[in-house]
Amino acid sequence: DIMKRVELGVVYEKVLSKLAAEGTIGIFPEGGSHDRTDLLPLKAGVALIAYSAMEKYGLSIPIVPVGLNYFKGHKIRGRVTVEYGRPIHIDPATLKDYLNGGESKRKVCNDVLERIEDSLRSVIVSAPDYKTLKMIHTARRLYRDKYMSSSEKQDLSRRFAEGYKQLLLMTQGNPPQSWLDLQERLRDYQKELDELGIRDYQVPGLVSEQTDTEADQLLRLMRIPFRIAELLLLLLVSLIPGLFLNAPVGIIAHYWAIWRRKKALAGSKVKIKGMDVMLTEKVLLCIVLVPTLWISYGLSLYCFSDIDLPTLALFFYSFPLFSYMGIVTSEAGMVELKDLKPFLKRLFPSTKRRMMKLPAVRKKLQADLRDFIRMIGPSLGDVYSEKKLNWADFQQNMRRHSKLNLNHLSETKKDV
C-alpha cells in the first residue's frame, strides 16, 4: 500500500506527450474512488493538463465527460451504465489569464472545473443519499412501467433526481405534506417488496391470481416441482466446476475484499461504507489466484496420477472453459431462484395475503404519483416539459440560477 514518491512533473510530461501524439488519457477528476451518491469536489489536475497542452503544443484538447452509474457495483457480474457527454474545449482567449498566474489562473481553472462538473452531472444520477436514490428508482419504475432502454431509464431517473432537488429548493427544504406522505408510501412499498423477495415488475402478474379458479391454482402448484427440478439441474451442471474451480477463489476473494474494505474505510474521510473498493480487490486477487489454482491442480495431477501428458494438457486447457461454464450456469440458477421465490412464498397463507394486496397498493400509488407529478410538473420547467433535454445545458443553467439566488440572498442579508 506504500507507493514510491511520484514526480508530478514527470507524470505531466508523459501525459502531455501522449496527448500530443493524439492519444487518449482517462482521468478520475474527483481524485479517488468513493461510494457516495453525489460528486466530490473536482481536483484541478484536469484543467492544468488542458491548459498546459494548449500552452506547450497549441492543442485544444476535448474533455469528454463519462458517467459511470453502478448497480451493485461491489459484486462480480454487477451492472454499470456508461454515458458519454458533450466534449468541453478550453477557450483559447483564456490562455493569457492562465499564463498570468495568481488569481487570474485560479479563476480560469475554476471556470473549467465548473463546466466539467456540469457535464459530469449531465451523465450521472446524483442524489443527497442512498435512501433518496433508491426512492427515486422506485418512483421511476412506477411512473412509467412499460419497457424502456437503459438510456431512457437513465434519462427518467435523472429527471426525477433533478425534479426532487428543484422541489426542495422551491420549498426551501420544506416540501408539501402531500409529497412527504407520498415519499413515505414509496419507501414502504419498496420495503414490502424487499421483505417478500419480489421485484416490482412481478407485481402486475399477481392480479391474475386473484381471480384464479381451483384448477388454475392447482396448475400453478404443479409448476413448482418443475421449476425446482430446472433449478437443481442448473446447480448440478455448475456444481463440479463451481465447487473446484470457482468456489475456493470466490470464498478467499470475498473475505479478502471485506478486509480491504475495512482498511480503506479507516483511511478515508469521504467513503461511507467503502463498498467501492470491494470489486477491484476481488478482481485483482482473482487475477493471481485463478491461474495459481489451475497450475496447482495441474501439478497435483502430474505428480499424483497416472494420466499421460496429452490428457493432462487437455485437462489444463479445459479449466478456463469449465470455470466459465460454472459462472454462467450459477448465474442462471440465481435468476431462476429469484423467479421461484414468489412461487414458494405463496404456499404460506400470511405471505400470500400480503402479496395479494400488492397489486392494489401499486395501482393506487402509481395513480397518486402521476397525479402529483402532473400537479407540480409545470413548475419544474424543462425537466418536466422538454421531451429531449440537453443535460449539459440544463446543469449550466441550474448553476447560474443557484449563483443568482446566492447573490440575491447575500444582498438581502446586507439590506437587513
Side-chain angles (χ1 to χ4, degrees):
D1 290 337
I2 301 175
M3 296 180 64
K4 293 181 179 179
R5 186 173 182 275
V6 177
E7 294 290 345
L8 291 180
V10 176
V11 173
Y12 274 87
E13 282 300 319
K14 290 188 175 182
V15 168
L16 293 175
S17 298
K18 183 73 173 178
L19 293 173
E22 299 185 353
T24 303
I25 301 293
I27 298 177
F28 289 84
E30 295 172 279
S33 69
H34 62 90
D35 52 353
R36 293 179 177 270
T37 54
D38 205 349
L39 292 173
L40 296 177
L42 305 187
K43 305 295 184 183
V46 61
L48 295 175
I49 290 171
Y51 272 113
S52 298
M54 182 174 287
E55 176 191 1
K56 189 170 183 178
Y57 298 106
L59 297 174
S60 178
I61 301 296
I63 304 170
V64 182
V66 182
L68 304 177
N69 300 274
Y70 291 98
F71 301 88
K72 297 183 179 178
H74 62 289
K75 293 185 177 181
I76 292 177
R77 308 285 287 182
R79 293 186 298 119
V80 60
T81 300
V82 182
E83 286 192 65
Y84 297 89
R86 189 172 60 190
I88 299 166
H89 290 84
I90 300 293
D91 183 1
T94 62
L95 181 60
K96 184 178 178 181
D97 294 326
Y98 173 80
L99 295 175
N100 287 336
E103 188 61 35
S104 61
K105 177 179 179 179
R106 189 178 298 110
K107 183 180 183 304
V108 293
C109 285
N110 285 338
D111 288 343
V112 171
L113 291 178
E114 286 184 358
R115 290 170 59 201
I116 293 173
E117 182 178 337
D118 291 339
S119 293
L120 282 174
R121 290 188 181 281
S122 74
V123 291
I124 63 171
V125 179
S126 61
D129 50 56
Y130 178 74
K131 190 176 179 182
T132 303
L133 185 62
K134 191 172 183 179
M135 184 266 295
I136 286 169
H137 285 302
T138 303
R140 186 261 298 163
R141 286 192 295 268
L142 287 171
Y143 182 73
R144 188 178 297 171
D145 53 4
K146 67 177 185 179
Y147 172 79
M148 292 188 292
S149 65
S150 296
S151 60
E152 289 173 330
K153 289 178 182 178
Q154 284 296 104
D155 181 77
L156 189 56
S157 294
R158 197 173 292 121
R159 288 174 188 266
F160 269 101
E162 295 303 326
Y164 177 80
K165 294 172 193 173
Q166 286 192 45
L167 181 61
L168 291 179
L169 284 173
M170 288 189 302
T171 58
Q172 298 182 344
N174 296 304
Q177 189 62 41
S178 57
W179 167 244
L180 294 176
D181 294 341
L182 188 61
Q183 184 175 262
E184 195 61 32
R185 287 168 60 197
L186 285 168
R187 287 175 174 155
D188 289 343
Y189 172 72
Q190 185 61 53
K191 183 180 178 182
E192 184 75 351
L193 293 181
D194 293 340
E195 289 179 358
L196 292 172
I198 63 174
R199 306 294 180 90
D200 177 69
Y201 71 84
Q202 295 173 318
V203 174
L206 299 173
V207 176
S208 60
E209 296 185 27
Q210 297 175 346
T211 56
D212 279 354
T213 63
E214 290 186 6
D216 292 329
Q217 293 177 6
L218 181 61
L219 287 172
R220 185 168 281 107
L221 284 173
M222 290 175 63
R223 288 175 59 191
I224 294 178
F226 291 102
R227 299 293 293 272
I228 293 175
E230 184 181 1
L231 175 62
L232 291 175
L233 179 61
L234 287 170
L235 294 177
L236 185 62
V237 171
S238 66
L239 180 62
I240 294 177
L243 189 62
F244 292 101
L245 296 176
N246 299 332
V249 175
I251 292 170
I252 295 171
H254 173 74
Y255 287 104
W256 169 261
I258 291 175
W259 178 70
R260 296 291 294 178
R261 178 186 70 82
K262 292 178 180 177
K263 190 174 181 180
L265 187 61
S268 173
K269 295 181 180 179
V270 298
K271 297 183 190 297
I272 299 174
K273 294 184 179 180
M275 304 299 283
D276 54 300
V277 303
M278 289 192 70
L279 185 57
T280 302
E281 296 294 343
K282 287 178 182 178
V283 170
L284 290 175
L285 190 66
C286 286
I287 289 173
V288 177
L289 288 187
V290 169
T292 302
L293 184 65
W294 294 346
I295 292 170
S296 300
Y297 282 145
L299 289 175
S300 298
L301 289 171
Y302 177 75
C303 296
F304 303 108
S305 72
D306 297 328
I307 299 176
D308 57 83
L309 284 177
T311 306
L312 182 60
L314 180 62
F315 263 111
F316 186 78
Y317 288 118
S318 298
F319 283 155
L321 177 62
F322 291 151
S323 182
Y324 180 71
M325 283 176 55
I327 292 172
V328 171
T329 51
S330 296
E331 186 180 47
M334 293 305 297
V335 172
E336 189 67 25
L337 182 60
K338 287 178 183 177
D339 290 339
L340 181 63
K341 192 180 290 186
F343 284 93
L344 295 175
K345 293 216 170 194
R346 291 187 193 107
L347 299 177
F348 301 95
S350 59
T351 307
K352 185 175 181 179
R353 283 194 295 270
R354 289 171 63 186
M355 292 177 73
M356 291 301 104
K357 291 179 182 178
L358 281 178
V361 171
R362 186 185 190 278
K363 186 177 180 180
K364 182 70 168 64
L365 184 57
Q366 186 180 56
D368 292 345
L369 175 67
R370 289 173 173 173
D371 288 341
F372 180 79
I373 291 173
R374 277 193 290 268
M375 180 181 70
I376 67 160
S379 64
L380 300 178
D382 291 346
V383 75
Y384 174 77
S385 60
E386 288 295 320
K387 194 169 185 179
K388 288 187 177 181
L389 194 58
N390 187 315
W391 284 104
D393 291 342
F394 174 82
Q395 292 294 345
Q396 289 178 10
N397 292 333
M398 287 296 295
R399 182 183 290 278
R400 293 193 197 100
H401 183 68
S402 298
K403 284 183 176 180
L404 288 173
N405 285 342
L406 287 173
N407 292 335
H408 177 71
L409 185 62
S410 61
E411 290 174 2
T412 304
K413 285 183 177 179
K414 286 180 183 177
D415 293 340
V416 174

